[in-house]
Amino acid sequence: MTAMHTRPAHAARQDWATGLTAFAAVMLFVAGVLAVFRSVMALAEDDIFVTTPDYVFAFDLTTWGWIHLVLGAIAMVVGLGLLRISTWARVAGVVVAGLVIISNFLSLPYYPVWSMVMIALSGLVIWALCVVRGDSLFGPYEEEGTPRE
């Protein structure tokens, strides 16, 4: 006879939770890196940015550069924290991704297509971090391979 090995349901939940958290971590880190690159362009007063004279949320391009630089650096740190599957990083990831969405919405007139791409990317990060339940990261295990007492 052959033995049939099946994976328990909690292992499948763990795989999904780990995968979604890793996805969010990598996407948030990438969004942070891209925000830092974008901020360098804005701080250098590059002529790649479009300026519209009659926009309600008019800030100087240098101001947007500093805003994106700070948010990008924080997003990179939180993305690395998400790889450690920590609760503070999940909460901070949702907050930072929300701030990235707001900052990109407000800077739409300067770089419209890229702002929309970053809004969509940050939305995916928020979705991935909110779908994963905190208690399902390791299922019935405290650490991977260690049963609870």
Side-chain angles (χ1 to χ4, degrees):
M1 256 196 232
T2 60
M4 183 180 250
H5 297 286
T6 60
R7 296 180 66 188
H10 65 275
R13 277 196 316 259
Q14 177 193 0
D15 290 344
W16 272 100
T18 304
L20 285 175
T21 305
F23 169 79
V26 170
M27 287 288 117
L28 192 60
F29 187 82
V30 168
V33 169
L34 294 175
V36 167
F37 288 155
R38 181 179 180 184
S39 70
V40 169
M41 289 188 314
L43 290 173
E45 304 270 339
D46 200 355
D47 58 353
I48 195 166
F49 291 99
V50 177
T51 56
T52 56
D54 298 327
Y55 188 59
V56 175
F57 305 109
F59 288 106
D60 181 36
L61 191 58
T62 305
T63 305
W64 282 120
W66 283 108
I67 290 170
H68 287 289
L69 180 67
V70 169
L71 282 176
I74 293 171
M76 289 173 17
V77 169
V78 171
L80 291 175
L82 282 170
L83 291 175
R84 305 266 314 152
I85 309 177
S86 58
T87 304
W88 70 265
R90 286 184 56 215
V91 172
V94 171
V95 170
V96 168
L99 291 174
V100 168
I101 287 174
I102 291 168
S103 70
N104 279 290
F105 173 75
L106 295 176
S107 66
L108 269 170
Y110 297 104
Y111 209 43
V113 174
W114 190 249
S115 292
M116 291 172 45
V117 168
M118 292 301 290
I119 288 170
L121 186 68
S122 297
L124 285 173
V125 168
I126 290 173
W127 171 80
L129 290 175
C130 289
V131 166
V132 177
R133 290 188 355 225
D135 59 345
S136 68
L137 287 176
F138 289 115
Y141 298 99
E142 286 293 325
E143 293 179 345
E144 208 167 339
T146 307
R148 284 186 185 169
E149 296 295 325

